[in-house]
Amino acid sequence: MAAVAVASGCSAHDGKGTSAQRQAAGKPGAARSDSTPTAHPAPKPTPAPKTAAQFVARARESMRAERGWTFALRGSESAVMQGQAPSSATYAATVHRTTAPVALQQTGTVTTSKGEHKPEAVYVVGGTGYVKGGAEGWKKGPLSDPDIANEVEDPLAELDAFAVYAKSAAVNRTAAGVRLRVSASGWQLSAARNRPALERAVREAEPTLAQLRKAGVTATDSQITLKSLTETWDLGDGAQGYRVTSHRYAFTFLVPFHGGDIAVSQEVRADNRGVFDGQVALPSAVE
């Protein structure tokens, strides 16, 4: 309304207008300058990540942006002593992981070296883990309980944990995007307990080490050494927001016994199968 009054040279009160209004009306473009919106600078583009920590930050943001994800899971674990038959098992499962709310459904099958097959179901809802193996009843507990945590394979939680020590990862470009890798070796078990990058390996190895001790293995934590550990994250390219395409985790501890070593190993791989739009809910049989 003010712009219209100035352009016409008229006062809204007396029909004549003041001299200031008449002078303004006589200046070319006066009305246009009042109505032209103020120009705002274009937002600066987000710089491309360079360090491992920056790639992890972008990957976490990209993964949280979707309602959920599906992963194909494969794993194996073994305890092998030279000259003896290995004790081993393999695992295959499908994981559905939602981001809001955080929940997980993991269903698969454990196959032992003897050819035995046992179905397994794992859920995480409300921060509590629920595990059922074969015909056994459900057991539940907080994720801080190692017995529960060792059954849960949550790539998004692992990505959050990786962010703590990602600065030590090597960064390599691949045809599909970026690869981040952490490797370690030579650590004594006693020292490995206090290393963020090795905490999972120690936790996962503990049940097997406990079984070995019950069987008569007397090696102490300072005698058990980490032969090798590798953790690899494959991320997509910038167009995909550097989302996780796969995660691999493998380690081997050497346990001295009768002049030789027992090799305690584990390897887990999770491959991203795409966005999950469903919901995760506990089965009705869970108490």
Side-chain angles (χ1 to χ4, degrees), residues 1-19:
M1 292 296 290
V4 172
V6 170
S8 64
C10 298
S11 168
H13 299 286
D14 57 17
K16 296 180 181 179
T18 66
S19 59

Side-chain angles (χ1 to χ4, degrees), residues 75-79 87-90 204 208 265-267:
S76 64
E77 59 182 33
S78 63
S87 174
S88 62
T90 60
E204 296 274 7
T208 300
S265 303
Q266 185 180 113
E267 183 173 355

Side-chain angles (χ1 to χ4, degrees), residues 135-210:
E136 301 172 0
W138 287 92
K139 63 178 181 179
K140 68 177 182 178
L143 297 181
S144 57
D145 181 345
D147 289 340
I148 297 295
N150 285 346
E151 303 294 341
V152 177
E153 296 294 341
D154 184 347
L156 298 192
E158 293 298 334
L159 184 62
D160 291 339
F162 183 65
V164 175
Y165 53 91
K167 62 182 180 181
S168 62
V171 180
N172 293 289
R173 297 286 179 173
T174 66
V178 178
R179 175 169 292 170
L180 310 178
R181 173 170 288 182
V182 168
S183 59
S185 63
W187 289 87
Q188 295 177 341
L189 179 61
S190 54
R193 296 182 188 280
N194 300 317
R195 305 294 299 181
L198 308 181
E199 285 181 357
R200 175 183 174 179
V202 173
R203 188 194 74 219
E204 296 274 7
E206 285 288 12
T208 300
L209 296 178

Side-chain angles (χ1 to χ4, degrees), residues 86-112:
S87 174
S88 62
T90 60
Y91 183 53
T94 297
V95 176
H96 297 308
R97 168 58 149 83
T98 60
T99 58
V102 173
L104 177 141
Q105 175 186 335
Q106 175 183 321
T107 53
T109 302
V110 177
T111 303
T112 69

